[in-house]
Amino acid sequence: MTPMNPGAPPVLVRKLSKSYGGANAVDGVSFEIQEGETFALLGPNGAGKSTTIEILEGYRDRSSGEVSVLGADPAHAGLDWKARLGIVLQSSGESGNVTVLEQLTHFARYYPKPRSVGEVIEAVGLAGKAKTRISKLSGGQRRRVDVALGIIGRPELLFLDEPTTGFDPEARRQFWALIGQLKAEGTTILLTTHYLDEAATLADRAGVIVGGKLVDIGGIDEIGGAQAKVPIVRWRQAGVGHSQRTAEPSALAARLYAEAGGEVEALDISRPSLEDIYLNLVGAGAVADPADQEVEA
Amino acid sequence: MRTLRLGWFRIGYELRLYFRQGDSVFFTFLFPILMLSVFAVAFSTSPNIGAPPDGSGGITWAAFYVPGMVAAGMLLSGVQNLGVDIAGEKGDGTLKRLGGIPLPVFSYFCGKIGMVLASSVLQVTLLLLVARFAFNVPMPQGADKWFTFAWVFLFGVITSCVLGIALSALPRTGKSATAVVIPIVLLLQFISGVYLNFAQLPGWLQNFASIFPLKWMAQGMRAVFLPRSFEAMEPGGAWNLGLVALVMGVWLVAGLLLCRFTFRWIRRDG
């Protein structure tokens, strides 16, 4: 029987490492996810996001470190443990010779307390496609089937590995609404995504992983530290571009206006978005650790 | 109990998927029937086989090929069908998905084996109907013959399934599965007395073929479908049903052990 640890948070990761033939795909990553929280794992392709999530899902063994998922070690957890998880994998390429309705009805049978098949199909926006074979669906629609299969078992913990790749903007909004609903029901969610607006909308906290290392972790508003949020003022003077970061951008602009004796050329004041901060972190990580980048390439 | 109940659900699901897949239905399900028809038509003007010099008696070539085709069907449904099918499911992510849900591995196997049993019963029924009514092959008489047929068939199909599951670990990608599996089953069919008269193969080849289970499945089926006068043509001069059961049993156990130790929902990493 799997040892259970009822006091632990749903996800607890301590100094997790995974090496393939000497190279570290994941290198000393630590984080935890509290009950009901949505946590986003961000990072470039090959940074180690999927390896991390697949270790938590029980697909891969770890090289070292401590991992607890719903109170159990995923490397030795059983079917009762799997029944409490929902997994949306990064890719799926099944032949799909079953209809959406058949597939969900079949998968619902594996779980002790499944959601209603009709409601799930409705929630992922496939009500009109319920009797269509999965092979006949578009890429975005198949992705919604993946999401539907991930939530049919009423999971306590949901893993979403790049769930909205291939969605059009409207489908992405619908998906966000669905995740909002799951959050409201108390589902704990671990999300990886390429879309920073998605992380900003859905996640309570995020971790940024670069070259297998966690380079930052915190609330969505805190990522990059207070310094990262400082506005940037950009302008041109005598054909030369300037930029300066300041907590008082209006004062700087006023001073430039006074000095120029009129309109300042190409004046722009902006606050870094999560995307800017993220790109900054990822860029810094790449510079700081060129060896890792080479491994990932 | 849950494992068996889920296994039962899997059988229905697998059968539905199987018959929706046009190519596998054609190549594994109808293949023995097509081959029997080809041989029966090709040799329809040849004199009977096993006839004394005066040309009377003996059996038609269609009748002679029935046991081999039954055995080929057993092998194809199990080894070829499952070997390719499961390697494909591993390649396209189906198994990875199943590995993430509370589905016991044994239930998955039950689904596959149940699907093969159901489709191969249908297959052999069709094959025998075609043999009987299209090519006028007389069917075995007596309960003891049909009892032999039942146990050789069931035992053989289940052994084939287990070997197919074990073999599915071999191809490195789903796409290469047919290239790995089909040559193996094709070669076995040629050396095991399915297409070629086993009695006419050289002794060393007969001995080599005797290592593998298909030769014994075919021999068991010859004991059911061929007249007594053919028994003397067997290598040991007898149908040797005890040995048929023994060799299939050894392969079954070996296959189960292989499955137990090699089957994984996803490829091992690192």
Side-chain angles (χ1 to χ4, degrees):
Chain A
M1 207 38 228
T2 315
M4 292 289 173
N5 184 357
V11 175
L12 182 71
V13 179
R14 288 273 170 272
K15 293 185 179 147
L16 173 66
S17 290
K18 170 75 182 176
S19 56
Y20 293 100
N24 279 339
V26 178
D27 191 354
V29 167
S30 300
F31 63 91
E32 47 190 76
I33 307 175
Q34 302 301 328
E35 200 170 331
E37 191 177 36
T38 298
F39 183 82
L41 208 50
L42 310 174
N45 278 333
K49 298 189 303 282
S50 286
T51 305
T52 303
I53 206 170
E54 288 193 355
I55 290 170
L56 301 187
E57 289 162 349
Y59 283 116
R60 300 193 182 281
D61 301 329
R62 59 187 183 273
S63 305
S64 65
E66 241 183 276
V67 175
S68 160
V69 173
L70 296 178
D73 180 345
H76 306 288
L79 297 174
D80 294 342
W81 176 79
K82 283 185 188 172
R84 299 163 63 202
L85 299 180
I87 296 177
V88 177
L89 293 164
Q90 193 176 101
S91 60
S92 59
E94 292 135 281
S95 52
N97 273 326
V98 279
T99 68
V100 174
L101 183 64
E102 286 168 343
Q103 187 79 334
L104 280 160
T105 307
H106 180 73
F107 274 69
R109 283 184 163 152
Y110 298 122
Y111 295 93
K113 291 173 294 178
R115 283 177 215 275
S116 137
V117 169
E119 282 170 26
V120 169
I121 292 178
E122 185 78 36
V124 298
L126 287 175
K129 299 280 180 185
K131 300 243 166 86
T132 305
R133 286 200 194 175
I134 293 170
S135 55
K136 300 267 191 292
L137 299 178
S138 72
Q141 287 168 335
R142 288 178 77 146
R143 201 70 189 124
R144 294 194 222 178
V145 176
D146 292 338
V147 173
L149 291 172
I151 63 174
I152 189 74
R154 205 183 293 277
E156 292 168 46
L157 172 62
L158 178 61
F159 292 103
L160 296 167
D161 201 354
E162 296 180 11
T164 58
T165 305
F167 280 29
D168 57 44
E170 193 197 342
R172 180 166 290 128
R173 301 262 160 205
Q174 279 177 9
F175 173 77
W176 290 355
L178 170 65
I179 298 302
Q181 210 176 306
L182 296 174
K183 283 177 72 168
E185 290 170 25
T187 312
T188 308
I189 299 170
L190 173 54
L191 166 80
T192 75
T193 181
H194 279 311
Y195 303 105
L196 278 296
D197 55 339
E198 184 161 290
T201 308
L202 297 179
D204 304 306
R205 285 193 311 131
V208 179
I209 191 166
V210 179
K213 290 192 166 76
L214 200 65
V215 296
D216 199 9
I217 183 167
I220 281 293
D221 303 330
E222 304 156 14
I223 285 288
Q227 201 56 35
K229 292 275 179 193
V230 173
I232 306 173
V233 180
R234 294 187 183 86
W235 72 97
R236 289 175 81 83
Q237 198 168 31
V240 182
H242 295 272
S243 76
Q244 188 178 326
R245 299 191 73 161
T246 170
E248 294 168 333
S250 314
L252 176 60
R255 204 180 76 226
L256 291 170
Y257 181 76
E259 284 173 9
E263 274 306 313
V264 181
E265 194 186 348
L267 178 69
D268 173 71
I269 301 174
S270 60
R271 271 163 214 281
S273 65
L274 180 61
E275 186 141 352
D276 297 324
I277 297 168
Y278 165 79
L279 288 173
N280 206 25
L281 277 170
V282 169
V287 172
D289 209 345
D292 273 338
Q293 283 307 94
E294 229 160 88
V295 169
E296 301 300 330
Chain B
M1 261 332 280
R2 177 174 180 275
T3 302
L4 291 179
R5 189 170 48 88
L6 290 181
W8 181 251
F9 286 144
R10 291 290 308 173
I11 295 176
Y13 180 80
E14 296 277 8
L15 272 172
R16 191 180 313 185
L17 280 179
Y18 178 69
F19 282 104
R20 283 180 185 176
Q21 230 180 336
D23 52 352
S24 86
V25 169
F26 185 80
F27 281 110
T28 58
F29 188 79
L30 294 179
F31 190 76
I33 296 165
L34 291 175
M35 290 307 285
L36 177 73
S37 307
V38 167
F39 283 119
V41 171
F43 295 120
S44 57
T45 54
S46 302
N48 281 357
I49 182 169
D54 66 0
S56 68
I59 57 170
T60 62
W61 283 89
F64 179 74
Y65 271 108
V66 165
M69 292 307 138
V70 172
M74 291 155 64
L75 185 81
L76 291 173
S77 307
V79 176
Q80 178 169 318
N81 188 11
L82 288 192
V84 173
D85 179 32
I86 297 177
E89 290 195 342
K90 197 173 275 184
D92 71 17
T94 305
L95 287 195
K96 191 168 185 182
R97 194 200 292 288
L98 294 180
I101 64 169
L103 168 68
V105 174
F106 188 75
S107 305
Y108 173 75
F109 287 174
C110 281
K112 290 291 181 199
I113 294 173
M115 177 263 279
V116 170
L117 271 176
S119 65
S120 58
V121 164
L122 205 59
Q123 180 186 53
V124 79
T125 306
L126 269 178
L127 178 72
L128 294 183
L129 285 173
V130 168
R132 172 70 189 83
F133 294 103
F135 302 112
N136 218 8
V137 174
M139 287 297 116
Q141 301 296 319
D144 57 333
K145 289 265 187 195
W146 286 108
F147 175 75
T148 306
F149 171 79
W151 76 254
V152 173
F153 184 79
L154 278 177
F155 201 175
V157 170
I158 291 173
T159 302
S160 291
C161 286
V162 170
L163 293 175
I165 296 170
L167 197 62
S168 72
L170 214 55
R172 294 193 59 81
T173 64
K175 287 196 178 100
S176 65
T178 47
V180 173
V181 174
I182 288 181
I184 297 176
V185 297
L186 198 61
L187 192 71
L188 279 181
Q189 289 175 79
F190 274 101
I191 66 172
S192 301
V194 169
Y195 300 138
L196 307 173
N197 187 346
F198 193 74
Q200 288 172 355
L201 297 180
W204 63 269
L205 194 56
Q206 287 185 343
N207 291 337
F208 179 67
S210 302
I211 300 170
F212 304 101
L214 181 58
K215 180 260 179 187
W216 301 96
M217 295 180 199
Q219 185 167 323
M221 285 302 165
R222 286 198 292 273
V224 174
F225 289 96
L226 298 190
R228 249 219 121 83
S229 57
F230 279 72
E231 189 168 358
M233 286 162 69
E234 293 299 323
W239 300 127
N240 242 330
L241 289 173
L243 210 52
V244 169
L246 182 71
V247 176
M248 286 201 295
V250 168
W251 276 98
L252 179 64
V253 171
L256 283 172
L257 287 174
L258 273 173
C259 292
R260 171 73 185 75
F261 291 110
T262 63
F263 183 81
R264 281 175 57 91
W265 294 118
I266 63 167
R267 260 164 238 296
R268 187 176 288 280
D269 55 40

